[in-house]
Amino acid sequence: MSQQDADHGVVAKSKVVVGYNGSDSSSEAVRWAASQAMVRHVPLRIVSCFELPVGVAEASLGWGVGTAYDAIRDAAAESLATIAATLREQFPSVAFTSDVPPGPAATALLAGVSEDDLVVVGSSSHHGAAAFWLGTTPRQLVHNSPAPVAVVRGPASSGRPDRVVVGVDGSVAADLAVEWAADEADRHRVELVLVHGWAYPYSLASSDSTRAREITQVDADTTLVRAVNAARERCGSTVTGVLVEGTAVSALLDTVRDGDLLVVGSRGRGPLRARLFGSTVNSVLESCAVPVVVVRGDPSNGNESSADDAETSLASS
């Protein structure tokens, strides 16, 4: 089922796409996505997928699989219509499209998505270790989306963020994340904070190792300064660089605060996909309470630095 607002004849080159399944986290994601669509002056597509569970299919053999299918679809459509009506009152300037397609959510959310769009999803409802990655929809979106993916965990600021924080490490993926974050900071007219974590992996047993540590710190500072200069050339917002001694994850989580928007880069389906578990992106999404946007780098680019092989990498996956 599809419903397009007849009184909005907006033709936009980009859009915001958000998933909704009736959960609290998806409700927060929808509201956050609507505010993003409003400030971007682009349409919002709300997708609520449904599938016929195996148990329901088996139990409905005497009732009729088609009847069960229609009931589940209609329930999803009713829930979506309710939240869409509320959003139309809160965001009258936004053109809404709502869809209730069958099948996997990630497939439906990425249908027709381009690199200029923004895909938004709530965090997994699972709890405990690696909870985020037990949610297949967010995981598949981060892996496969050509567009940036925003993961909203818990209550999120519905208006503009207080700051936009982005991780940098000198890689192509991080550079793309900085570009996206700089545009976002300009869009909301807020401060842009660039964070680079560094760590010397050996003990300081001699004067030579002390000197090596100093060189490592200088190299990290150079990486940060280059990124800050590039960001200042791109945007007019205040740009601040933060150099943190520590792991990539701790550097980001120690810097970010309530009200911020955190941006990290990812290679998506690139050659390091198999190493995604244990990566910076994984750990940040598992632990960060504020909305996190994952900007995918170019997986076909073979010139990526190997910074992600060390704890100093902030934006690789």
Side-chain angles (χ1 to χ4, degrees):
M1 183 188 74
S2 176
Q3 179 179 358
Q4 175 72 49
D5 284 3
D7 56 345
H8 289 93
V10 178
V11 178
K13 293 182 179 179
S14 62
K15 60 186 175 296
V16 178
V17 181
V18 60
Y20 176 71
N21 62 8
S23 66
D24 291 341
S25 64
S26 70
S27 297
E28 290 290 344
V30 168
R31 282 188 283 270
W32 189 87
S35 68
Q36 291 294 314
M38 181 181 66
V39 75
R40 284 171 164 77
H41 306 290
V42 300
L44 174 66
R45 176 176 175 242
I46 312 174
V47 179
S48 182
C49 297
F50 69 98
E51 295 183 78
L52 194 62
V54 175
V56 172
E58 293 174 347
S60 63
L61 289 178
W63 182 34
V65 174
T67 302
Y69 181 94
D70 291 343
I72 294 175
R73 178 198 60 198
D74 292 345
E78 182 179 356
S79 177
L80 179 56
T82 298
I83 195 167
T86 300
L87 290 174
R88 288 187 178 94
E89 294 180 359
Q90 296 177 347
F91 303 92
S93 64
V94 176
F96 289 92
T97 301
S98 57
D99 293 297
V100 187
T107 301
L109 283 166
L110 295 182
V113 167
S114 71
E115 61 183 11
D116 295 323
D117 298 333
L118 175 63
V119 179
V120 183
V121 67
S123 64
S124 169
S125 59
H126 296 280
H127 300 282
F132 174 85
W133 296 105
L134 293 176
T136 56
T137 297
R139 182 179 181 182
Q140 290 172 1
L141 290 175
V142 171
H143 274 168
N144 300 308
S145 176
V149 175
V151 179
V152 179
R153 176 187 292 275
S157 55
S158 58
R160 70 176 189 176
D162 295 334
R163 306 181 303 171
V164 177
V165 180
V166 58
V168 301
D169 66 1
S171 68
V172 174
D175 291 344
L176 293 174
V178 170
E179 290 177 3
W180 194 94
D183 293 343
E184 188 74 359
D186 261 356
R187 183 177 291 115
H188 294 283
R189 299 180 181 178
V190 297
E191 180 184 7
L192 175 64
V193 180
L194 279 65
V195 182
H196 181 45
W198 69 280
Y200 184 67
Y202 307 106
S203 61
L204 301 178
S206 66
S207 58
D208 289 341
S209 60
T210 300
R211 176 60 177 162
R213 180 186 180 279
E214 293 173 351
I215 293 174
T216 301
Q217 182 175 5
V218 170
D219 182 67
D221 184 66
T222 300
T223 297
L224 178 62
V225 169
R226 287 174 179 169
V228 167
N229 290 339
R232 286 173 177 162
E233 290 180 1
R234 186 176 182 92
C235 73
S237 298
T238 299
V239 178
T240 303
V242 178
L243 187 64
V244 180
E245 183 175 6
T247 66
V249 175
S250 64
L252 287 171
L253 297 182
D254 288 348
T255 301
V256 75
R257 63 196 187 200
D258 290 346
D260 288 345
L261 173 65
L262 180 59
V263 182
V264 293
S266 169
R267 288 183 179 83
R269 292 178 295 180
L272 298 184
R273 178 178 178 181
R275 295 173 51 196
L276 187 61
F277 285 92
S279 70
T280 299
V281 172
N282 177 12
S283 299
V284 167
L285 286 169
E286 169 63 24
S287 304
C288 192
V290 305
V292 179
V293 176
V294 182
V295 178
R296 178 181 164 188
D298 182 1
S300 65
N301 190 320
N303 296 321
E304 283 277 17
S305 72
S306 60
D308 55 275
D309 292 330
E311 286 290 349
T312 53
S313 173
L314 271 169
S316 309
S317 70

